[in-house]
Amino acid sequence: MSVTFLAILLTQLDKVLLSRLLSLESFGYYTLAATVAGVLYMVIGPITSAFYPRLVELSTQENRVQSPPYITKVHSW
Amino acid sequence: MVGRYPAFGKYRTHPFDLRDWSVSELSDAYAAQLQLAYGWVGLGIKTNIVAVVVLVPAIFWFVPRYGVIGAAWIWVILNAGYVLIAIQLMHRRLYPNEKWRWYFADVMLPLIGAAGIMLLAKQFQPVSYQDRWSDFFFLSITAVLALMASAILADRVRPKLMSFLRQDSHIREGRT
């Protein structure tokens, strides 16, 4: 909950402040660039969501020192 | 939150992007999920609090002096902080043995690939921005090439990519 709140604050606060500090034209470019860069979230979001249950499962089983549940272990496709 | 998804080749960076913060911000997702999977919420919260506390004064200081590019640089610095500092803190508790392997094989090599493509593209950059469409295609092709370069250099993605391509060629040649 607080994690989500902070993440939203962190990603949106800049736009709130910059909308006052920059000209409308500059702010437009900034927002466009932010949106384009944000497209990558659409790629990574589903992947991490899909992995999360497996990460939780592994976290109950293994110790925290050996190799982590990276892709090779997480996947069984 | 902190970290990067280890090997999906999204370390692409882009000298043309006003805000290439996404390079690590996105990738934070994996290490963030890793921490949450272990019931470890505190580090992420603390990291983000620090980030917000740095962000606000930084905007008020940088933007009047350097404009919108200054704002973009704040994100570069913040995300460098995530990767270089927060990840270190995470590995003190989780998988300390994996830290340097991760920095080298999962971050540095793919990053070098993407950065190399970007620097090359910069040499062939159109001189003037006359046509939005040609710029758009130029940037799109560059981004795809950079993504491919980092995927090829990521040692956990490359084998999957290769086996996928091999399967595909078998199908095309009518073999199974």
Side-chain angles (χ1 to χ4, degrees):
Chain A
M1 173 64 194
S2 51
V3 178
T4 313
F5 175 74
L6 273 168
I8 293 169
L9 192 68
L10 191 64
T11 48
Q12 302 304 320
L13 196 62
D14 61 324
K15 297 187 191 74
V16 177
L17 297 177
L18 287 170
S19 64
R20 297 188 146 263
L21 289 169
L22 294 170
S23 71
L24 189 60
E25 192 193 357
S26 296
F27 185 64
Y29 282 119
Y30 183 86
T31 312
L32 175 66
T35 309
V36 171
V39 168
L40 287 178
Y41 277 107
M42 295 180 199
V43 179
I44 205 69
I47 296 171
T48 49
S49 302
F51 277 27
Y52 186 58
R54 183 80 173 119
L55 287 178
V56 174
E57 189 191 1
L58 286 164
S59 75
T60 62
Q61 295 168 1
E62 63 187 323
N63 69 60
R64 302 176 177 194
V65 179
Q66 295 308 310
S67 69
Y70 278 163
I71 296 178
T72 38
K73 277 175 80 182
V74 173
H75 283 176
S76 48
W77 66 42
Chain B
M1 299 248 299
V2 291
R4 282 166 183 235
Y5 192 81
F8 257 79
K10 50 176 191 26
Y11 310 109
R12 54 177 282 275
T13 183
H14 201 301
F16 310 104
D17 266 357
L18 197 54
R19 289 179 43 171
D20 50 356
W21 48 267
S22 57
V23 171
S24 72
E25 197 169 291
L26 275 184
S27 42
D28 295 340
Y30 187 83
Q33 300 281 50
L34 186 64
Q35 288 165 35
L36 291 178
Y38 282 89
W40 188 12
V41 185
L43 180 62
I45 292 178
K46 283 174 203 153
T47 314
N48 275 350
I49 289 173
V50 171
V52 172
V53 168
V54 171
L55 176 72
V56 176
I59 284 177
F60 282 112
W61 196 85
F62 273 98
V63 174
R65 286 169 182 78
Y66 304 104
V68 74
I69 298 297
W73 272 106
I74 295 169
W75 285 107
V76 175
I77 293 162
L78 270 184
N79 284 299
Y82 280 125
V83 174
L84 297 175
I85 300 167
I87 281 290
Q88 306 268 350
L89 298 175
M90 184 188 90
H91 278 298
R92 286 209 303 207
R93 200 184 295 183
L94 296 175
Y95 308 112
N97 299 344
E98 278 288 315
K99 184 170 76 177
W100 294 112
R101 195 208 63 79
W102 179 82
Y103 270 120
F104 178 75
D106 293 340
V107 179
M108 215 175 80
L109 291 181
L111 196 65
I112 287 172
I117 295 285
M118 289 300 170
L119 288 173
L120 202 67
K122 208 170 171 154
Q123 303 299 312
F124 297 101
Q125 192 180 4
V127 182
S128 63
Y129 286 90
Q130 291 169 341
D131 179 5
R132 274 167 198 255
W133 282 108
S134 60
D135 286 341
F136 175 76
F137 286 118
F138 176 76
L139 292 177
S140 303
I141 291 165
T142 308
V144 170
L145 288 177
L147 197 64
M148 282 165 61
S150 35
I152 289 166
L153 286 170
D155 66 354
R156 291 182 195 261
V157 175
R158 190 174 48 239
K160 295 207 178 287
L161 207 66
M162 291 303 166
S163 69
F164 179 77
L165 289 174
R166 267 197 295 274
Q167 275 174 10
D168 201 41
S169 68
H170 287 177
I171 292 164
R172 270 202 307 273
E173 291 160 19
R175 285 181 277 146
T176 48

